[in-house]
Amino acid sequence: MMVPVRCFTCGNVIAGEWEEFKERAREGDEDPEKVLDDLGVERHCCRRMLVSHEDLVDVVAPYQ
């Protein structure tokens, strides 16, 4: 689950790229920059949102 659905700066929808980015870059061994290039995320603000975002669901509801 992604908390920010849109980029705070430009308003682009970034929730669609979150799951694949999380699987490939955070839990995998791929370089986050390469993953963002593959996903077509070009704007710096959107890239920053994806790289710096932290899922709060595991912290707020750890017993699923």
Side-chain angles (χ1 to χ4, degrees), residues 4-15 17 41-43 45-46 49:
V5 175
R6 294 185 174 267
C7 176
F8 291 143
T9 306
C10 69
N12 282 345
V13 178
I14 56 175
E17 287 87 11
V41 179
E42 296 178 0
R43 296 183 66 119
C45 57
C46 297
M49 286 289 297

Side-chain angles (χ1 to χ4, degrees), residues 1-59:
M1 174 181 200
M2 178 153 183
V3 176
V5 175
R6 294 185 174 267
C7 176
F8 291 143
T9 306
C10 69
N12 282 345
V13 178
I14 56 175
E17 287 87 11
W18 172 246
E19 287 300 322
E20 186 172 353
F21 176 75
K22 184 172 85 170
E23 289 174 11
R24 290 176 58 189
R26 298 241 172 144
E27 298 169 357
D29 294 328
E30 289 188 57
D31 181 29
E33 182 179 1
K34 182 185 179 310
V35 174
L36 290 171
D37 289 340
D38 291 346
L39 292 174
V41 179
E42 296 178 0
R43 296 183 66 119
H44 174 74
C45 57
C46 297
R47 292 171 80 96
R48 177 189 50 81
M49 286 289 297
L50 288 168
V51 170
S52 65
H53 177 71
E54 187 67 35
D55 264 337
L56 298 177
V57 173
D58 296 332
V59 175

